[in-house]
Amino acid sequence: MTRPVIAGADGSASSLRAVMWAAQEAALREAPLLIVHTALRWTSNVPLVPQPHHWGAAAEATAWELLRQAAERAQTGTDVQHVTTEIADGPAAEALADAARHAQLLAVGTRGRGGFAGLLLGSVSRDLATRCPCPLVVVGPPPPGRPTHIVVGATGEPGQEPVLEFAFEEALLRELPLRAVHAWTHPHATPGRPQPLVYDIDAVGREEALLLAEAIAGWRERFPGVTLTEHTLHTHPAKALIDASHEAELVVAGATARRAAVLGPTTSILLHHSHAPVAVIRHPTP
């Protein structure tokens, strides 16, 4: 059976945008859509006190109605063919990560119903970015302009293959050009070659452009149907990706999978400030 695309739904406007994004993605992939609502049987999680075995009737009815409305919106607003819903017990990030073990990808909103209104990124989406076992897409407000391309942040470092593969696949699915963005602030460090205190910016820029070209060279052959452009910039990587997100349908970034899950600064800043949905792809430590 085709693995599903999953969307997390909690009734917020942000999660509904994620549901609609996931429904469109499921239609493109010809995959089923699973909409998951997660909730504790009590309103807070107290580790030393077990949760009750059963929900209250009113709380359960509210959860199923929330899911029914989300499924109805997904089916009427997109071409998705098969939609199912599910209630998962437990803290949201933990329950969604568990549900995503057999998914093609998981989509969530930037913020849910809880938390502080001034926060741009909620704790659930932030936690999932470090633990989600499949590609995670964090969906924010609609982009200000008409999307014209897919963006991928290319570091040129080993281990980024899953990031590049996902970006090329999305560009092919959506029939959009792919923009590979490589940004640098200091010369690229290599083993046995310390960074110089003084360097020629133009010369280093040419080296960084060559690094990007080498990183994506084989992908042109694998995806001949994707129009690819390369952009090497002397700026902070997060700024380069945020700027590129203005007219992007999706920005694809990596997160190094370590035993102690820590989200890198570039991806963390991007999740807070991107003008387009952000796909976070975890990849092994080089």
Side-chain angles (χ1 to χ4, degrees), residues 111-122:
R111 292 189 63 257
R113 297 173 72 92
F116 299 94
L119 294 179
L120 299 175
L121 187 69

Side-chain angles (χ1 to χ4, degrees), residues 55-134:
W55 284 39
E60 185 169 1
T62 298
W64 283 118
E65 176 60 18
L66 179 157
L67 286 169
R68 185 196 66 77
Q69 293 179 11
E72 183 178 347
R73 284 287 299 274
Q75 289 173 308
T76 56
T78 69
D79 294 327
V80 64
Q81 296 298 309
H82 185 67
V83 180
T84 56
T85 58
E86 177 182 305
I87 298 176
D89 290 336
E94 181 180 320
L96 286 172
D98 185 63
R101 285 182 300 158
H102 304 294
Q104 294 192 43
L105 62 83
L106 168 65
V108 295
T110 47
R111 292 189 63 257
R113 297 173 72 92
F116 299 94
L119 294 179
L120 299 175
L121 187 69
S123 60
V124 173
S125 49
R126 184 179 62 248
D127 290 350
L128 280 168
T130 64
R131 70 163 72 186
C132 188
C134 69

